[in-house]
Amino acid sequence: MKKISLLIIVLLLLAACQEERPDSNAHITNTIVATSFKPEKMDKASLEARTQKVKGELEYYLQRHTVDDEGYDMVARYAEQGDSIIASYMPRRRQPSLMNMFTWRGYKRHGVGFKFTPYYIYIGNWQGDSLVSGLRIDSAGVYAGAFARHLQASGHGCYSSFDGNYYEGHWQNDRREGFGFAVTDKNLMAGTWKAGRYHGERIWHTSERIYGIDISRYQHEVGRKRYGINWKNLRITHLGRHIKGNISGNVDYPVRFVYIKSTQGGTIRNRYLMTDYAAARKQGIPVGVYHFFSTAQNGTAQANYFLNNTLFRRGDLPPVIDVEPTKKQIEEYGGPKKLLNEVRQWIAIVEKRLHVRPILYVNQNFLNKYLAEAPDLFDNYLIWIARYGEYKPGVHLALWQLSSDSRVKGIHPDVDVNVFNGYEHHWQEFLREETIK
């Protein structure tokens, strides 16, 4: 930044600090951009696309969360007011003279003042020569919030960059730490940050959420022993070893849905499918079936095998294709492009026959590595992600498989437990719109 630009910024900011009107800093960010930084121009179409993307991400978050979720109030405020919180960190004084801004006590800055360096402008409230709160401006954007002793962002604050990205939350040693949310032209990330890196959202597990299970023959067979399922008394009693502190009350949740494995590849069937399917429906539990995709057959053959060996009824949950091959299996199959094309074939055939969109089940690693090459699948179909641990996947999804070692009363072995991405009204909407008609 040129020094003349920095001087103009200081004068404008200091002048703004004199105002008593609550809206005196409403255009602070625009002022800084106009005087110190000229971002790369974006054509009208690109700007509109970015605006709509951000708007869509904010709407999706607010639709899938409630005021009980951590950070909801911050995201809601940003959706309504943008980066207006920057203005709240602008210091104000009653004195009309700019010279009165420079307050000292014992040769130390005290009160409202500023500091100018080759890389930053600091302006805010000082105590004992330390900046307590205020603004820090650099060539890329504006930080507004609390500071530590050595002018580091620490405590609550936000950073609004001139390219349109935004973060608000907790800081420590100039890094994002603890809870915060970031909005970019790609997505919205609300959750836990550690040393500047986003880890994910830690949802609170409560009885208000919608939990379900997925089962196969392994819930009936352990070695040579065979077990039945007590469908009348199913209750989720433990969420698995990965879920620890973020639980409200005791884990004693009803099983709100169940997915049962039907087929695998083009030769394997689950011998317990029909009895489990009938028992679940008898208890009024929404039930669906899934196919485990194999790299030993093509997608068409597997789709036909699945359809010919599975029972479907009105009101059933949408069918699922479980895709989790190893890297070696993918290579031997012909590579990611070949695999994704065969998955598309399976989905197209099943969707045409059942008139409902199948759900795509993948693990987090597969999503990160391969689904980026198939935006049509990610954008047009519901996603079910397996990611074991505290942190919910940071993408749009229908279901999250959060553990494989949960305990369910009525089932002897460990069980996979899943949580629906939303609350009761979202679940009822899902049952109305996405089930087999």
Side-chain angles (χ1 to χ4, degrees):
M1 292 188 292
K2 296 181 179 179
K3 291 186 177 181
I4 185 65
S5 298
L6 292 173
L7 179 59
I8 292 172
I9 293 172
V10 172
L11 294 174
L12 288 169
L13 293 176
L14 296 180
C17 289
Q18 310 304 312
E19 301 290 343
E20 285 298 303
R21 300 190 313 274
D23 63 342
S24 63
N25 302 309
H27 303 293
I28 184 64
T29 304
N30 290 338
T31 300
I32 295 170
V33 173
T35 56
S36 67
F37 187 76
K38 295 181 179 179
E40 184 179 347
K41 290 185 178 181
M42 186 179 294
D43 62 80
K44 185 176 181 180
S46 298
L47 180 60
E48 177 63 22
R50 187 190 193 285
T51 300
Q52 291 302 315
K53 174 66 175 176
V54 171
K55 181 180 178 181
E57 289 294 315
L58 288 167
E59 288 178 349
Y60 179 83
Y61 178 90
L62 295 175
Q63 288 171 358
R64 294 285 160 174
H65 293 76
T66 72
V67 293
D68 294 327
D69 293 318
E70 185 179 19
Y72 180 90
D73 56 337
M74 287 197 295
V75 179
R77 184 183 64 244
Y78 180 81
E80 182 178 348
Q81 303 176 10
D83 61 4
S84 62
I85 195 169
I86 293 177
S88 69
Y89 281 101
M90 277 293 294
R92 296 183 178 89
R93 287 183 57 113
R94 295 182 182 277
Q95 293 88 342
S97 171
L98 288 177
M99 293 305 297
N100 289 332
M101 292 293 298
F102 304 97
T103 305
W104 297 80
R105 180 178 295 175
Y107 300 100
K108 294 183 179 181
R109 296 177 181 85
H110 192 88
V112 176
F114 80 95
K115 182 176 182 178
F116 174 77
T117 75
Y119 301 102
Y120 300 105
I121 296 172
Y122 299 90
I123 181 168
N125 298 300
W126 299 73
Q127 292 182 7
D129 219 31
S130 295
L131 182 59
V132 177
S133 66
L135 274 65
R136 180 177 67 188
I137 306 114
D138 58 33
S139 62
V142 181
Y143 168 79
F147 287 85
R149 185 173 181 180
H150 299 291
L151 297 176
Q152 294 178 319
S154 183
H156 177 266
C158 65
Y159 187 82
S160 183
S161 64
F162 298 141
D163 61 6
N165 295 337
Y166 181 84
Y167 169 84
E168 181 181 347
H170 193 268
W171 299 73
Q172 183 175 321
N173 299 325
D174 261 343
R175 292 186 177 184
R176 303 169 189 186
E177 186 75 25
F179 181 84
F181 78 94
V183 180
T184 73
D185 58 350
K186 295 181 180 180
N187 58 9
L188 183 151
M189 298 176 287
T192 301
W193 301 72
K194 294 182 180 180
R197 179 172 169 265
Y198 181 64
H199 282 247
E201 178 184 0
R202 294 179 76 239
I203 71 171
W204 278 99
H205 296 281
T206 73
S207 58
E208 294 182 359
R209 296 196 179 274
I210 313 300
Y211 294 94
I213 62 175
D214 62 274
I215 61 175
S216 65
R217 71 179 180 87
Y218 295 109
Q219 275 62 55
H220 292 278
E221 301 178 2
V222 179
R224 295 184 178 182
K225 294 184 178 180
R226 301 293 181 264
Y227 298 94
I229 294 178
N230 186 348
W231 288 94
K232 293 182 179 181
N233 296 304
L234 293 186
R235 300 290 293 189
I236 298 170
T237 58
H238 192 271
L239 294 178
R241 69 181 186 277
H242 296 291
I243 308 301
K244 299 175 182 176
N246 51 330
I247 299 174
S248 178
N250 296 322
V251 176
D252 183 21
Y253 308 145
V255 174
R256 298 291 303 276
F257 63 90
V258 58
Y259 267 99
I260 307 170
K261 182 177 180 179
S262 173
T263 53
Q264 178 173 331
T267 58
I268 299 174
R269 293 183 295 174
N270 175 16
R271 65 175 66 94
Y272 300 98
L273 169 65
M274 294 306 179
T275 54
D276 285 343
Y277 176 91
R281 285 186 63 96
K282 184 177 181 180
Q283 296 302 317
I285 304 174
V287 61
V289 293
Y290 71 92
H291 170 81
F292 189 94
F293 192 86
S294 170
T295 54
Q297 292 91 17
N298 62 46
T300 299
Q302 294 188 61
N304 290 327
Y305 185 74
F306 171 71
L307 291 169
N308 293 333
N309 291 278
T310 308
L311 180 63
F312 306 97
R313 290 181 178 173
R314 183 177 179 180
D316 283 354
L317 300 176
V320 171
I321 178 171
D322 179 344
V323 183
E324 46 181 316
T326 65
K327 180 179 180 180
K328 182 179 180 180
Q329 288 172 331
I330 294 174
E331 292 174 351
E332 293 175 348
Y333 197 54
K337 185 175 181 179
K338 162 74 171 174
L339 172 67
L340 293 170
N341 282 337
E342 295 300 330
V343 168
R344 288 188 183 93
Q345 286 296 316
W346 189 99
I347 289 175
I349 293 170
V350 172
E351 183 175 11
K352 184 177 180 180
R353 174 81 70 87
L354 300 178
H355 306 289
V356 65
R357 292 187 302 168
I359 293 177
L360 178 60
Y361 172 101
V362 295
N363 58 42
Q364 185 76 64
N365 184 59
F366 187 93
L367 181 143
N368 294 342
K369 284 189 175 182
Y370 305 117
L371 269 196
E373 301 179 24
D376 57 312
L377 293 177
F378 188 81
D379 293 339
N380 298 323
Y381 293 92
L382 299 175
I383 305 295
W384 179 0
I385 298 180
R387 180 181 182 179
Y388 304 150
E390 292 283 332
Y391 299 106
K392 171 184 172 185
V395 297
H396 296 192
L397 73 161
L399 300 169
W400 169 30
Q401 187 181 87
L402 52 90
S403 66
S404 61
D405 60 348
S406 299
R407 301 296 301 167
V408 176
K409 181 181 178 181
I411 301 178
H412 182 75
D414 290 347
V415 187
D416 297 340
V417 163
N418 309 269
V419 60
F420 175 73
N421 186 27
Y423 289 91
E424 185 65 34
H425 64 286
H426 302 113
W427 176 244
Q428 295 303 321
E429 181 182 7
F430 177 83
L431 294 178
R432 287 193 304 270
E433 298 184 0
E434 300 294 342
T435 51
I436 294 177
K437 303 299 186 288

